[in-house]
Amino acid sequence: WDNSNASWVKDHLAVFDSSEKKALINYFLDLFQTEVEPHLSTLRKSINYNDANDYNVLVNNDLANPQISGVIDFGDIVYTTTINEVAIAAAYALMGKEAPLDAACSIIQGFNSIFPITEKECQVIFPLIAARLMISVTVSAINQQANPDNRYLQISAKPVWTLLEKRQPFV
């Protein structure tokens, strides 16, 4: 699940049932390999939660003033490129949005207001968002083959493919 190691999906292209899906994965693999990999050694590193998504966020019951009260599922914590944390949160926040770029900007701006993002990190954020989406559908397809009756394993596959099909910074 580490975005910085996204190239592993290349070895699993056979899990996709269509040439269109394989072409999308190859497109984003190429983007990752050309725009991210050459810079990985220069990007800041930290311990990342690595799983910020709507299924892992706890919110209080106050409908008039909802507040995040915590997060769960710490099994994906990893030492990796710091900007991956933002990319992962953004990747999940973009799904199903009419204006996904607006959602990404809100997350990036919020993170930047607390922990300033470097110029180099700004340059790699889009391919790292795409890397998380690419990893997500690959893991989903692998797990689906192993557990075809488990619907939860496919919960985000359709919205991820919808985003990847745009091939642009999700506009």
Side-chain angles (χ1 to χ4, degrees):
W1 285 104
D2 182 358
N3 292 10
S4 295
N5 296 320
S7 289
W8 68 266
V9 302
K10 185 176 190 172
D11 296 332
H12 298 278
L13 289 173
V15 299
F16 300 110
D17 57 3
S18 74
S19 58
E20 292 84 8
K21 287 180 179 179
K22 289 176 186 174
L24 276 172
I25 296 299
N26 276 319
Y27 173 84
F28 286 108
L29 267 170
D30 182 60
L31 183 69
F32 176 79
Q33 291 171 334
T34 59
E35 301 297 322
V36 177
E37 282 185 341
H39 307 289
L40 284 173
S41 66
T42 65
L43 297 171
R44 294 181 292 182
K45 308 269 190 298
S46 62
I47 296 172
N48 287 5
Y49 171 57
N50 211 43
D51 205 11
N53 69 70
D54 48 346
Y55 290 96
N56 290 340
V57 176
L58 302 175
V59 180
N60 67 7
N61 275 342
D62 186 351
L63 296 177
N65 187 29
Q67 299 288 318
I68 294 175
S69 59
V71 294
I72 59 171
D73 190 357
F74 295 92
D76 293 329
I77 289 175
V78 66
Y79 181 78
T80 189
T81 305
T82 304
I83 197 65
N84 283 340
E85 198 76 86
V86 182
I88 291 164
Y92 288 107
L94 300 177
M95 290 187 233
K97 298 291 189 296
E98 289 285 323
L101 191 56
D102 291 344
C105 286
S106 293
I107 289 171
I108 294 165
Q109 288 171 342
F111 188 90
N112 187 61
S113 71
I114 304 295
F115 189 81
I117 297 170
T118 68
E119 184 175 330
K120 184 61 69 183
E121 289 168 333
C122 286
Q123 292 172 359
V124 299
I125 190 75
F126 171 71
L128 284 171
I129 291 169
R132 180 54 167 222
L133 297 171
M134 184 175 57
I135 290 168
S136 179
V137 291
T138 303
V139 169
S140 180
I142 291 168
N143 288 338
Q144 182 66 33
Q145 285 183 345
N147 301 291
D149 296 328
N150 188 338
R151 293 172 142 214
Y152 177 75
L153 299 174
Q154 297 298 308
I155 201 159
S156 61
K158 185 176 180 184
V160 168
W161 284 115
T162 299
L163 282 170
L164 290 175
E165 288 167 358
K166 295 178 186 246
R167 290 186 189 244
Q168 297 299 317
F170 308 118
V171 292

